[in-house]
Amino acid sequence: MNYHLLPFTFTRISNHEVLVNELGDMIISPFGTVYKLVNREPVDEELFKSLAANFFVSDTAIPVLSDIYALRLREKKRFLDQFTALHIFVLTLRCNQNCVYCQASSCNEDCTSVTMTMHTMKKAVELMFKSPSPYLTMEFQGGEPSLEPKLLRYGIELAEEINKAEQKNINYVLCTNCVDLTDEVMDICKQYKVMISSSLDGPAYLHNTNRGKKDSYEKVVAGFERARSILGHDQVSALMTTSELALDYPIEIVDEYRRLGFRSIFLRALNPYGLATTNPDWTDYTDRFIEFYKTALNYIIDLNIQGTFFIEEYAAIILKKMITPYTTGFVDLQSPAGIINSVLVYNYDGYVYASDESRMLAEFNDYTFRLGHVDEPYENIVYGKAAKNAAKYWSNEALAGCTDCGVRTYCGADPVRNHSTQNDLYGYRPASLLCRKNKAIIEYIISLIIERYDEVMPIFKSWLL
Amino acid sequence: MTIQIDRNIFDDAAISKTIYWLSGDFSFQRRLEGEIESITITPKPGSEMSDLDIELAFLDKLNDNKLRGIIANETKDIRTILYAKAFADDDYLSEEDLNE
Ligand code: SF4
C-alpha cells in the first residue's frame, strides 16, 4: 500500500493499540495495527478510512487538508494566544483554621506582617491588566482571604475602575473556608458577583479529622448555606483534597457532595507542598489515590447510568482534550505548562510567582520560581531569567519519556512539580509520581471507553455540554 | 540476567528509550560487540519480577519503541511543516517552504 504516515504515537490499553495524534484524536485498533502501518501492510478497510479521516495517514506527503490540520493544532494551543488569564492574589497567610494538611503554609489569625499591603495590591492589579488575555480571573487566596475584607474590596474596585478603559471580561473568585463569612465580605461578593470556592473533604468525621477540628464541618456547611442564600446556589463551589484518611471513603465523599446539592466533584490528590510534605510514603499514597479515583469514578458513572447527573471534573477535563477539538483552561494539564502562560501569583509580600505551588515552595526558602516583584516592569517578570529558565522545561513534546508517550496530548508538563519532588526541572519520568498518576488516570478513562463504550460515552459527552 | 540484542534490528535509540522507562526498577549495563549488544539487567531492591517477566517487558517495550522511532523519523518533516503552518507568522512562510 502506498501512503504517508502523519505524526502519531501509541500505547497499549485493554488489549488494544491506542493511536493518538498531535491533535489529540484517538483511534482504538487491534494489536498489530501500528506494525502493519509502518510496514505498509493492509489493515481493515474501515479502520484505514478512519485513520485517513483523522490525520494518521495521508495519500500525499503534505495532507490535502493541511490547513485544517494547522487550524486544529492552533486551537489545541489556544491558551498560548491569550496568555495569562488566571491571576492569584495571596491576600494573607493569616488563617482561622490552620488545618492539619494545609497546603498553603498558613499561620495563626493573630500573625502580623503576613498580609498584602494596599500598595502591593495596586501594583499587582496593574500588572494583571498588562496580560493580553481578554478574559481575566482574579482569584483571592490565603491563608484565609476573607479575613482581609478591606483589601479584597480595594483590589476589586481598583480592577473595576481600570477595566472601564480596558473592557476585559473579569471574573472574581474568593477561595475561602467559609467558616466566618461576615456581612462585609458577603456584601462585596454580592456587589461584584464574586464566586465562592471552598473546601470540603467529605462527611463530617472525615472533614473534621483532616483539619484537626471538632466543628469545622458544621461551620463550613453553614457557610455554604449562607453564601448560597445571599449569592445564589451556583455561585458556591467546593474542592476536596484527598488526605490519606480520605482514601478509604471514595463513595462516602461523592455522596456527601451530592447530599449538599453539588452537581460535580473534583477528585484531587494531595500535593507535596506546605505541611502536606510530612506525608510519609508518597509512592504508596499515589497508588492508593489511583485506586480511590477509579472507585469514585465508577460510582459516579453508575449514578449517571441510574439517572443522576453528576460530573467528575478531572475526568471531564481529560475528556474535553480527548473528544473535542478544544483546549481547556486547566493549568495542571497543559503543554507548554500552565505556569506563567495561564497563571501568575502575586504573593502577600509583593513577590510574583509562576504558580500557586511556586509560592508554596518559597515558604520553604526555595525561590526557583520567583519571577520578580510587583514593583518591577511586567516584561521583567514574565520574560525574566526565572521565566526563561522554566520555559526550557515546560513542553512535554520535548521531554524525555513524554515525547513518545501515547497519552502525551492529554497530559501536561510541570517543571515546578519536577523540581519540588525530584530537585530537577526536567524531571525523570520513570520515577515521577505525577506521571504515574496522570498516566494511570488517563489510561483508565481510555479503558472505560474501550470496554464500556455504549454505556460511558453518552455520559462523558453529557459532562462536556 | 543478560539479553542479547541484534543492533541490525534494533537501533541505539530504541534500546536507550526502553532502558529509560525500565530504569526506575532495574539497573542496566550495556556492552556492544560487533553487531550484538549484551544488556545485563539487575533488579533494584523491591522488584518482584521473574527473569522471564523482565525479558518480556523489555522486549515488548523495545518493539514498541522501534515502531515509535520509525514513525517519528518518517514524520519529522511533515510534523515541522504542520507546526510551522499552525504557529509561524504567515509572513515568514512561503508555499515553497511548506512544499519543500
Ligand atoms: S508525564 Fe507521563 S503520562 Fe504525562 S506525557 Fe509525560 S510520560 Fe506521558
Side-chain angles (χ1 to χ4, degrees), chain A residues 197-237:
Chain A
S197 172
S198 193
S199 307
L200 181 81
D201 294 339
Y205 58 90
L206 186 58
H207 184 91
N208 286 338
T209 311
N210 273 353
R211 282 149 204 275
K213 310 274 167 199
K214 284 204 181 84
D215 57 355
S216 174
Y217 173 88
E218 287 72 16
K219 286 181 179 168
V220 169
V221 171
F224 287 171
E225 294 308 317
R226 176 166 154 71
R228 279 172 168 170
S229 68
I230 296 169
L231 307 174
H233 190 93
D234 291 340
Q235 285 293 99
V236 181
S237 65

Short mmCIF file of all heavy atoms in Angstrom, two decimals, chain A residues 197-237:
data_model
loop_
_atom_site.label_atom_id
_atom_site.label_comp_id
_atom_site.label_asym_id
_atom_site.label_seq_id
_atom_site.Cartn_x
_atom_site.Cartn_y
_atom_site.Cartn_z
N SER A 197 -15.26 29.79 46.23
CA SER A 197 -14.67 28.46 46.04
C SER A 197 -14.18 28.00 47.39
O SER A 197 -13.31 28.64 48.00
CB SER A 197 -13.51 28.55 45.04
OG SER A 197 -12.84 27.32 44.99
N SER A 198 -14.76 26.92 47.87
CA SER A 198 -14.44 26.50 49.24
C SER A 198 -13.85 25.09 49.26
O SER A 198 -13.62 24.49 48.20
CB SER A 198 -15.70 26.56 50.09
OG SER A 198 -15.34 26.45 51.44
N SER A 199 -13.57 24.60 50.44
CA SER A 199 -13.00 23.26 50.57
C SER A 199 -13.91 22.42 51.43
O SER A 199 -14.32 22.85 52.51
CB SER A 199 -11.65 23.31 51.26
OG SER A 199 -10.82 24.22 50.62
N LEU A 200 -14.19 21.23 50.94
CA LEU A 200 -14.93 20.28 51.76
C LEU A 200 -14.37 18.90 51.45
O LEU A 200 -14.35 18.49 50.30
CB LEU A 200 -16.43 20.32 51.44
CG LEU A 200 -17.23 19.35 52.30
CD1 LEU A 200 -17.52 19.98 53.67
CD2 LEU A 200 -18.53 18.94 51.63
N ASP A 201 -13.93 18.22 52.48
CA ASP A 201 -13.23 16.95 52.23
C ASP A 201 -14.14 15.74 52.24
O ASP A 201 -13.70 14.63 51.95
CB ASP A 201 -12.12 16.75 53.28
CG ASP A 201 -11.05 17.82 53.10
OD1 ASP A 201 -10.97 18.39 52.01
OD2 ASP A 201 -10.32 18.08 54.07
N GLY A 202 -15.41 15.94 52.62
CA GLY A 202 -16.33 14.81 52.66
C GLY A 202 -17.20 14.89 53.90
O GLY A 202 -17.44 15.99 54.41
N PRO A 203 -17.68 13.75 54.39
CA PRO A 203 -18.55 13.75 55.56
C PRO A 203 -17.87 14.36 56.79
O PRO A 203 -16.64 14.47 56.83
CB PRO A 203 -18.83 12.26 55.80
CG PRO A 203 -18.45 11.58 54.54
CD PRO A 203 -17.42 12.41 53.88
N ALA A 204 -18.69 14.69 57.80
CA ALA A 204 -18.19 15.43 58.97
C ALA A 204 -16.96 14.78 59.60
O ALA A 204 -15.96 15.45 59.85
CB ALA A 204 -19.32 15.55 59.99
N TYR A 205 -17.01 13.46 59.84
CA TYR A 205 -15.89 12.82 60.56
C TYR A 205 -14.59 12.96 59.77
O TYR A 205 -13.51 13.13 60.33
CB TYR A 205 -16.19 11.35 60.88
CG TYR A 205 -16.49 10.49 59.66
CD1 TYR A 205 -15.48 9.83 58.98
CD2 TYR A 205 -17.80 10.35 59.20
CE1 TYR A 205 -15.76 9.05 57.86
CE2 TYR A 205 -18.09 9.58 58.09
CZ TYR A 205 -17.07 8.94 57.43
OH TYR A 205 -17.35 8.17 56.31
N LEU A 206 -14.70 12.89 58.45
CA LEU A 206 -13.51 12.97 57.61
C LEU A 206 -12.99 14.41 57.55
O LEU A 206 -11.80 14.67 57.78
CB LEU A 206 -13.89 12.48 56.21
CG LEU A 206 -12.79 12.35 55.18
CD1 LEU A 206 -11.72 11.39 55.66
CD2 LEU A 206 -13.38 11.82 53.88
N HIS A 207 -13.91 15.33 57.29
CA HIS A 207 -13.52 16.74 57.16
C HIS A 207 -12.90 17.23 58.49
O HIS A 207 -11.84 17.86 58.48
CB HIS A 207 -14.76 17.56 56.81
CG HIS A 207 -14.47 19.01 56.57
ND1 HIS A 207 -14.17 19.51 55.33
CD2 HIS A 207 -14.40 20.06 57.44
CE1 HIS A 207 -13.94 20.81 55.42
NE2 HIS A 207 -14.09 21.17 56.70
N ASN A 208 -13.55 16.93 59.59
CA ASN A 208 -13.05 17.42 60.87
C ASN A 208 -11.72 16.77 61.25
O ASN A 208 -10.82 17.43 61.78
CB ASN A 208 -14.09 17.19 61.98
CG ASN A 208 -15.26 18.16 61.85
OD1 ASN A 208 -15.13 19.22 61.24
ND2 ASN A 208 -16.41 17.78 62.39
N THR A 209 -11.59 15.47 60.98
CA THR A 209 -10.32 14.80 61.31
C THR A 209 -9.20 15.36 60.47
O THR A 209 -8.10 15.64 60.97
CB THR A 209 -10.44 13.27 61.07
OG1 THR A 209 -11.63 12.81 61.69
CG2 THR A 209 -9.24 12.53 61.63
N ASN A 210 -9.46 15.53 59.17
CA ASN A 210 -8.43 16.09 58.27
C ASN A 210 -7.91 17.41 58.80
O ASN A 210 -6.74 17.74 58.65
CB ASN A 210 -9.04 16.38 56.89
CG ASN A 210 -8.98 15.17 56.00
OD1 ASN A 210 -8.39 14.17 56.34
ND2 ASN A 210 -9.62 15.28 54.85
N ARG A 211 -8.84 18.20 59.34
CA ARG A 211 -8.47 19.55 59.72
C ARG A 211 -8.08 19.67 61.19
O ARG A 211 -7.71 20.74 61.66
CB ARG A 211 -9.64 20.48 59.41
CG ARG A 211 -9.66 20.76 57.93
CD ARG A 211 -11.01 21.01 57.32
NE ARG A 211 -10.95 20.70 55.90
CZ ARG A 211 -10.55 21.58 54.97
NH1 ARG A 211 -10.23 22.79 55.31
NH2 ARG A 211 -10.48 21.23 53.71
N GLY A 212 -8.20 18.54 61.92
CA GLY A 212 -7.85 18.59 63.33
C GLY A 212 -8.78 19.49 64.12
O GLY A 212 -8.36 20.18 65.05
N LYS A 213 -10.07 19.53 63.72
CA LYS A 213 -11.06 20.39 64.39
C LYS A 213 -12.29 19.57 64.78
O LYS A 213 -12.57 18.55 64.14
CB LYS A 213 -11.55 21.50 63.44
CG LYS A 213 -10.48 22.27 62.75
CD LYS A 213 -9.99 23.41 63.59
CE LYS A 213 -8.71 23.95 62.98
NZ LYS A 213 -7.89 24.73 63.86
N LYS A 214 -13.04 20.08 65.74
CA LYS A 214 -14.26 19.37 66.15
C LYS A 214 -15.46 19.81 65.32
O LYS A 214 -16.36 19.03 65.06
CB LYS A 214 -14.54 19.65 67.63
CG LYS A 214 -13.66 18.88 68.58
CD LYS A 214 -14.36 18.75 69.94
CE LYS A 214 -13.50 18.01 70.95
NZ LYS A 214 -12.53 18.89 71.61
N ASP A 215 -15.49 21.09 64.96
CA ASP A 215 -16.73 21.63 64.39
C ASP A 215 -16.53 22.31 63.03
O ASP A 215 -17.37 23.08 62.60
CB ASP A 215 -17.33 22.63 65.38
CG ASP A 215 -16.34 23.73 65.70
OD1 ASP A 215 -15.18 23.65 65.24
OD2 ASP A 215 -16.73 24.67 66.41
N SER A 216 -15.42 22.02 62.37
CA SER A 216 -15.15 22.70 61.09
C SER A 216 -16.24 22.39 60.07
O SER A 216 -16.75 23.27 59.39
CB SER A 216 -13.78 22.28 60.55
OG SER A 216 -13.57 22.83 59.28
N TYR A 217 -16.63 21.11 60.00
CA TYR A 217 -17.63 20.70 59.01
C TYR A 217 -18.92 21.50 59.18
O TYR A 217 -19.46 22.05 58.20
CB TYR A 217 -17.92 19.20 59.17
CG TYR A 217 -19.06 18.72 58.32
CD1 TYR A 217 -18.84 18.28 57.02
CD2 TYR A 217 -20.36 18.70 58.82
CE1 TYR A 217 -19.89 17.84 56.23
CE2 TYR A 217 -21.42 18.26 58.05
CZ TYR A 217 -21.18 17.83 56.76
OH TYR A 217 -22.22 17.41 55.98
N GLU A 218 -19.40 21.58 60.41
CA GLU A 218 -20.67 22.28 60.66
C GLU A 218 -20.56 23.74 60.21
O GLU A 218 -21.46 24.30 59.58
CB GLU A 218 -21.06 22.22 62.15
CG GLU A 218 -21.54 20.86 62.62
CD GLU A 218 -20.42 19.82 62.74
OE1 GLU A 218 -19.23 20.20 62.75
OE2 GLU A 218 -20.74 18.62 62.79
N LYS A 219 -19.43 24.35 60.54
CA LYS A 219 -19.24 25.77 60.20
C LYS A 219 -19.17 25.95 58.67
O LYS A 219 -19.73 26.90 58.12
CB LYS A 219 -17.95 26.29 60.83
CG LYS A 219 -18.04 26.51 62.32
CD LYS A 219 -16.71 27.05 62.80
CE LYS A 219 -16.72 27.33 64.30
NZ LYS A 219 -15.37 27.59 64.81
N VAL A 220 -18.46 25.04 58.01
CA VAL A 220 -18.31 25.16 56.56
C VAL A 220 -19.67 25.00 55.87
O VAL A 220 -20.03 25.79 54.99
CB VAL A 220 -17.30 24.09 56.04
CG1 VAL A 220 -17.33 24.01 54.52
CG2 VAL A 220 -15.90 24.41 56.52
N VAL A 221 -20.41 23.99 56.29
CA VAL A 221 -21.71 23.74 55.66
C VAL A 221 -22.66 24.92 55.93
O VAL A 221 -23.40 25.35 55.04
CB VAL A 221 -22.30 22.40 56.15
CG1 VAL A 221 -23.74 22.23 55.67
CG2 VAL A 221 -21.43 21.25 55.65
N ALA A 222 -22.60 25.45 57.14
CA ALA A 222 -23.43 26.63 57.43
C ALA A 222 -23.00 27.80 56.54
O ALA A 222 -23.84 28.57 56.04
CB ALA A 222 -23.28 27.01 58.91
N GLY A 223 -21.70 27.90 56.31
CA GLY A 223 -21.17 28.96 55.43
C GLY A 223 -21.67 28.79 54.00
O GLY A 223 -22.04 29.76 53.34
N PHE A 224 -21.71 27.53 53.52
CA PHE A 224 -22.26 27.26 52.18
C PHE A 224 -23.68 27.77 52.08
O PHE A 224 -24.07 28.44 51.12
CB PHE A 224 -22.31 25.76 51.88
CG PHE A 224 -20.98 25.10 51.62
CD1 PHE A 224 -20.90 23.72 51.54
CD2 PHE A 224 -19.83 25.84 51.44
CE1 PHE A 224 -19.69 23.09 51.29
CE2 PHE A 224 -18.62 25.22 51.19
CZ PHE A 224 -18.55 23.84 51.13
N GLU A 225 -24.47 27.40 53.10
CA GLU A 225 -25.90 27.77 53.09
C GLU A 225 -26.06 29.29 53.04
O GLU A 225 -26.84 29.84 52.27
CB GLU A 225 -26.60 27.23 54.35
CG GLU A 225 -26.67 25.72 54.42
CD GLU A 225 -27.26 25.11 53.15
OE1 GLU A 225 -28.25 25.65 52.64
OE2 GLU A 225 -26.67 24.13 52.64
N ARG A 226 -25.28 29.93 53.89
CA ARG A 226 -25.35 31.40 53.96
C ARG A 226 -24.94 32.01 52.61
O ARG A 226 -25.65 32.86 52.07
CB ARG A 226 -24.43 31.87 55.08
CG ARG A 226 -24.32 33.37 55.23
CD ARG A 226 -23.66 33.70 56.58
NE ARG A 226 -22.98 34.99 56.58
CZ ARG A 226 -23.59 36.16 56.56
NH1 ARG A 226 -24.91 36.22 56.55
NH2 ARG A 226 -22.90 37.29 56.56
N ALA A 227 -23.82 31.54 52.06
CA ALA A 227 -23.34 32.11 50.79
C ALA A 227 -24.35 31.84 49.67
O ALA A 227 -24.64 32.72 48.85
CB ALA A 227 -21.98 31.53 50.45
N ARG A 228 -24.89 30.62 49.65
CA ARG A 228 -25.87 30.29 48.59
C ARG A 228 -27.12 31.16 48.71
O ARG A 228 -27.68 31.60 47.71
CB ARG A 228 -26.27 28.82 48.71
CG ARG A 228 -25.25 27.88 48.08
CD ARG A 228 -25.59 26.45 48.40
NE ARG A 228 -24.82 25.52 47.60
CZ ARG A 228 -24.78 24.21 47.82
NH1 ARG A 228 -25.46 23.68 48.81
NH2 ARG A 228 -24.06 23.43 47.05
N SER A 229 -27.56 31.39 49.97
CA SER A 229 -28.80 32.15 50.14
C SER A 229 -28.60 33.61 49.72
O SER A 229 -29.52 34.26 49.23
CB SER A 229 -29.30 32.06 51.58
OG SER A 229 -28.40 32.76 52.42
N ILE A 230 -27.40 34.12 49.86
CA ILE A 230 -27.15 35.53 49.50
C ILE A 230 -26.73 35.67 48.04
O ILE A 230 -27.17 36.58 47.33
CB ILE A 230 -26.07 36.13 50.43
CG1 ILE A 230 -26.57 36.14 51.88
CG2 ILE A 230 -25.68 37.55 49.98
CD1 ILE A 230 -25.51 36.47 52.91
N LEU A 231 -25.88 34.74 47.58
CA LEU A 231 -25.27 34.91 46.25
C LEU A 231 -25.93 34.07 45.16
O LEU A 231 -25.74 34.32 43.97
CB LEU A 231 -23.78 34.55 46.30
CG LEU A 231 -22.94 35.25 47.38
CD1 LEU A 231 -21.53 34.68 47.40
CD2 LEU A 231 -22.90 36.75 47.12
N GLY A 232 -26.65 33.05 45.56
CA GLY A 232 -27.24 32.12 44.59
C GLY A 232 -26.51 30.77 44.67
O GLY A 232 -25.30 30.72 44.92
N HIS A 233 -27.27 29.70 44.41
CA HIS A 233 -26.76 28.34 44.59
C HIS A 233 -25.47 28.10 43.79
O HIS A 233 -24.49 27.56 44.30
CB HIS A 233 -27.83 27.34 44.17
CG HIS A 233 -27.51 25.93 44.53
ND1 HIS A 233 -27.94 25.35 45.71
CD2 HIS A 233 -26.79 25.00 43.89
CE1 HIS A 233 -27.49 24.12 45.76
NE2 HIS A 233 -26.79 23.87 44.67
N ASP A 234 -25.48 28.50 42.52
CA ASP A 234 -24.36 28.16 41.65
C ASP A 234 -23.14 29.05 41.84
O ASP A 234 -22.12 28.85 41.19
CB ASP A 234 -24.81 28.21 40.18
CG ASP A 234 -25.77 27.07 39.88
OD1 ASP A 234 -25.77 26.09 40.65
OD2 ASP A 234 -26.52 27.18 38.89
N GLN A 235 -23.25 30.03 42.72
CA GLN A 235 -22.08 30.89 42.98
C GLN A 235 -21.13 30.25 44.00
O GLN A 235 -20.08 30.81 44.30
CB GLN A 235 -22.54 32.25 43.52
CG GLN A 235 -23.14 33.17 42.47
CD GLN A 235 -22.10 33.61 41.44
OE1 GLN A 235 -22.01 33.05 40.35
NE2 GLN A 235 -21.30 34.60 41.78
N VAL A 236 -21.52 29.09 44.51
CA VAL A 236 -20.69 28.43 45.53
C VAL A 236 -20.22 27.09 45.02
O VAL A 236 -21.02 26.25 44.60
CB VAL A 236 -21.48 28.23 46.85
CG1 VAL A 236 -20.61 27.57 47.91
CG2 VAL A 236 -22.02 29.57 47.34
N SER A 237 -18.90 26.89 45.00
CA SER A 237 -18.37 25.58 44.62
C SER A 237 -17.43 25.10 45.71
O SER A 237 -17.03 25.88 46.59
CB SER A 237 -17.61 25.68 43.29
OG SER A 237 -16.48 26.50 43.45
#
